[in-house]
């Protein structure tokens, strides 16, 4: 089992420690135990402190190390070791659903006209041959439906075909200016 990095650096077991607090604790131990000291230092303790600092030097690392400590305590049945994080034995809190209301705003006529005016330029800068092929396929499908079912009104089929073409054709258009 790996040693507790908080205990190695002599810090309280808390994930919200400041970066400077962790750095200062490591520097103090490193100054006492570095192998380049005249007395030879303490290589084992220096290595442990450096490994602990590598784990705790970021907020993410501190939270992960703390979570590992809590998980190990719970696995051993020691729920009193970390009372702030212990799951409550009572019933769970109710889930509150916050309704999200989307209110569409009317699009000004000026914006609609500007988008329509950009379509020829977007076709020219995009993939005009693919668009032409797509339109030909749609026209062929509509003609095939008209020949197979001549007496049935085809407005719904034409609307679906037009929407399908418009949705898939966006990939063949150049992006609008400013994007």
């Amino acid at each position: 089992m790996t040693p507790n990095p908080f205990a190695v650096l002599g810090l309280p077991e808390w994930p919200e420690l400041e970066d400077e607090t962790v750095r200062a604790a490591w520097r103090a131990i490193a100054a006492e135990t570095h192998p380049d000291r005249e007395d030879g230092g303490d290589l084992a303790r220096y290595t442990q402190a450096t490994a602990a600092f590598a784990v705790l030097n970021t907020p993410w690392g501190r939270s992960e190390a703390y979570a590992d400590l809590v998980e190990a305590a719970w696995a051993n049945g020691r729920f009193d070791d970390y009372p702030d994080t212990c799951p409550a034995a009572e019933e769970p809190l109710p889930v509150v659903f916050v309704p999200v209301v989307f209110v569409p705003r009317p699009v000004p006529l000026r914006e609609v006209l500007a988008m329509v005016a950009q379509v020829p330029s977007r076709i020219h800068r995009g993939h005009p041959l693919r668009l032409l092929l797509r339109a030909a396929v749609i026209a062929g499908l509509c003609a095939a439906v008209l020949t197979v079912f001549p007496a049935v009104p085809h407005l719904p089929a034409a609307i679906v075909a037009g929407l399908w073409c418009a949705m898939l054709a966006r990939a063949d258009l150049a992006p609008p200016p400013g994007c």
Side-chain angles (χ1 to χ4, degrees):
M1 181 175 165
T2 60
N4 177 350
F6 294 100
V8 169
L9 293 179
L11 295 170
E13 295 173 353
W14 192 242
E16 296 172 8
L17 293 172
E18 296 291 324
D19 290 344
E20 193 54 42
T21 304
V22 175
R23 190 173 297 113
W26 176 75
R27 284 184 180 162
I29 293 174
E32 294 172 6
T33 61
H34 197 278
D36 288 346
R37 290 175 45 107
E38 290 181 14
D39 62 356
D42 184 358
L43 181 60
R45 187 163 175 235
Y46 176 78
T47 304
Q48 251 188 348
T50 303
F53 177 70
V55 171
L56 300 178
N57 70 343
T58 63
W60 176 261
R62 289 189 290 276
S63 66
E64 287 294 308
Y66 183 75
D68 290 342
L69 292 174
V70 171
E71 185 177 333
W74 288 358
N76 294 330
R78 297 187 331 259
F79 297 106
D80 293 336
D81 288 357
Y82 300 93
D84 295 339
T85 57
C86 184
E90 299 116 24
E91 58 187 72
L93 295 174
V95 177
V96 178
F97 292 100
V98 178
V100 177
V101 179
F102 174 71
V103 181
R105 67 171 178 85
V107 180
L109 182 61
R110 175 179 285 161
E111 286 184 33
V112 173
L113 293 176
M115 286 188 277
V116 170
Q118 292 173 358
V119 169
S121 171
R122 290 181 67 190
I123 289 172
H124 179 71
R125 291 181 296 123
H127 301 283
L129 294 179
R130 282 193 208 166
L131 286 168
L132 184 62
L133 179 64
R134 195 180 301 276
V137 168
I138 293 292
L141 287 174
C142 288
V145 168
L146 284 174
T147 56
V148 173
F149 305 107
V152 180
H154 299 290
L155 183 60
I159 290 173
V160 168
L163 288 174
W164 177 72
C165 181
M167 288 174 61
L168 295 179
R170 287 179 61 196
D172 294 331
L173 293 173
C179 289

